[in-house]
């Protein structure tokens, strides 16, 4: 079951979780670090940031350039035997040590390696929130062991696209600017799972047929931890349901005892 604190954070603005961020340098890309830390900040405060790998190896050279800038503590692990990954063992041992300090609400595991599936399950058994970050090649076992799984390809796209656009403006000859795409929309990466989303909505609605957006989003994540509206061209779930007018009807209502409006959605 998804942690109530994580559910609250999906639509909240203030961080609610104290998080330990553990990065597997052998199975993560340094190019996504800025977007990665920004994404983690949506869920809570990264009170510990550690990265594990053999930083004497050429394959880890890209990480050495960003560790100091983002205050990430490197944990050097030499490869004692060819073909064996000593980094995994060190990361898992550290995770258990941090777990027993009882100082954290959750863990962020940055890896595309299914070997961490057992660790994610163990952390969940302790009642902690587990957030996974990895590439699309990450096996389903690890994705589903996390409360929420985010594809790093989405983060890389968001951090690379903007600088490219600003550079284009400075080098191009003056001319009329083409119309910009709607705010928050990006190029869809894969086919929209229409039936899955409508089924999740049906399970989230009240007796009148409406579902609070937060409840709907929570149920989507419970069923499929790697569900992310950015994969389909929208930064937020609210933008997705508003744009899919052929599938959804939306309505803004005042929250009880508040002047703040909340979004409700139902199937068309």
């Amino acid at each position: 079951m998804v942690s109530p604190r994580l559910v609250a954070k999906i639509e909240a603005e203030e961080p609610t979780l104290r998080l330990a961020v553990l990065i597997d340098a052998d199975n993560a890309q340094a190019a996504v670090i800025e977007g990665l830390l920004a994404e983690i900040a949506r869920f809570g405060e990264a009170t510990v940031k550690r990265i594990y790998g053999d930083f004497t190896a050429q394959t880890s050279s890209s990480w050495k350039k960003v560790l100091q800038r983002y205050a990430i503590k490197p944990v050097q692990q030499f490869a004692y035997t060819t073909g064996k990954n000593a980094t995994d063992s060190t990361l898992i041992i550290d995770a258990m040590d941090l777990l027993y300090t009882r100082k954290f609400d959750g863990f962020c595991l940055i890896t595309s390696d299914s070997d961490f599936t057992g660790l994610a399950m163990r952390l969940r058994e302790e009642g902690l929130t587990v957030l996974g970050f990895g590439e699309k090649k990450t096996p389903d076992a690890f994705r589903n062991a996390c409360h929420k799984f985010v594809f790093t390809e989405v983060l890389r796209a968001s951090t690379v696209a903007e600088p490219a656009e600003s550079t284009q403006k400075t080098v191009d000859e003056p001319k009329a600017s083409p119309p910009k795409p709607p705010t928050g929309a990006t190029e869809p990466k894969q086919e929209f799972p229409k039936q899955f989303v409508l089924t999740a909505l049906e399970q989230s609605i009240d007796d009148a047929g409406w579902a609070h957006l937060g409840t709907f989003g929570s149920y989507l994540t419970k069923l499929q931890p790697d569900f992310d509206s950015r994969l389909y061209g929208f930064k937020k779930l609210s933008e997705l349901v508003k744009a899919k007018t052929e599938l959804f009807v939306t309505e803004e209502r005042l929250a009880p005892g508040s002047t703040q409006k909340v979004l409700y959605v139902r199937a068309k």
Side-chain angles (χ1 to χ4, degrees):
M1 181 176 180
V2 178
S3 165
R5 288 172 295 189
L6 176 60
V7 174
K9 181 59 205 152
I10 292 177
E11 293 296 327
E13 296 183 357
E14 293 299 325
T16 57
L17 304 179
R18 288 172 55 86
L19 300 170
V21 179
L22 307 180
I23 305 172
D24 175 12
D26 297 337
N27 289 284
Q29 300 296 321
V32 303
I33 186 63
E34 186 175 353
L36 173 68
L37 294 178
E39 183 74 9
I40 290 172
R42 294 179 57 236
F43 299 98
E45 178 188 1
T47 55
V48 166
K49 291 180 286 184
R50 298 180 185 176
I51 184 169
Y52 302 79
D54 183 0
F55 298 101
T56 64
Q58 183 65 30
T59 53
S60 298
S61 60
S62 59
W63 278 110
K64 290 188 287 187
K65 300 176 182 178
V66 301
L67 299 185
Q68 185 174 5
R69 178 181 177 185
Y70 294 102
I72 304 173
K73 179 182 177 180
V75 180
Q76 171 65 29
Q77 181 59 60
F78 294 101
Y80 298 117
T81 305
T82 303
K84 299 294 184 180
N85 195 342
T87 299
D88 293 6
S89 300
T90 305
L91 191 156
I92 292 171
I93 291 170
D94 259 15
M96 298 309 294
D97 287 343
L98 292 171
L99 165 65
Y100 290 125
T101 66
R102 306 299 179 186
K103 293 181 180 179
F104 301 95
D105 301 309
F107 282 73
C108 299
L109 304 179
I110 295 83
T111 182
S112 300
D113 192 342
S114 63
D115 289 348
F116 294 101
T117 301
L119 173 61
M121 295 172 64
R122 180 69 180 86
L123 295 172
R124 289 188 64 156
E125 288 175 358
E126 290 291 328
L128 299 181
T129 297
V130 180
L131 305 174
F133 300 82
E135 298 177 351
K136 290 184 178 180
K137 66 181 182 180
T138 306
D140 290 342
F142 179 63
R143 296 189 205 175
N144 294 327
C146 302
H147 287 103
K148 176 68 178 175
F149 188 89
V150 178
F151 291 114
T152 53
E153 287 89 349
V154 173
L155 306 179
R156 183 183 295 110
S158 63
T159 57
V160 172
E162 291 184 2
E165 182 181 356
S166 61
T167 302
Q168 187 73 17
K169 290 179 181 179
T170 59
V171 299
D172 281 357
E173 296 179 1
K175 57 184 178 180
S177 300
K180 292 184 177 181
T183 302
T186 58
E187 189 68 25
K189 300 292 192 301
Q190 58 190 51
E191 184 179 355
F192 182 69
K194 173 182 174 181
Q195 193 55 51
F196 163 73
V197 172
L198 290 176
T199 300
L201 177 60
E202 184 178 354
Q203 299 299 319
S204 309
I205 59 176
D206 57 22
D207 292 340
W210 290 90
H212 183 282
L213 184 68
T215 303
F216 178 38
S218 171
Y219 198 78
L220 283 170
T221 304
K222 288 179 183 178
L223 293 178
Q224 189 173 312
D226 59 5
F227 180 86
D228 194 325
S229 58
R230 289 170 295 189
L231 293 172
Y232 313 108
F234 301 91
K235 286 187 177 180
K236 297 180 180 179
L237 180 61
S238 57
E239 295 177 2
L240 186 152
V241 297
K242 287 179 180 179
K244 297 283 185 181
T245 54
E246 74 280 12
L247 299 178
F248 307 109
V249 177
T250 60
E251 180 179 289
E252 290 188 343
R253 305 177 188 175
L254 286 176
S258 172
T259 57
Q260 184 178 4
K261 290 186 177 181
V262 293
L263 188 66
Y264 283 77
V265 59
R266 67 174 175 83
K268 194 165 185 179

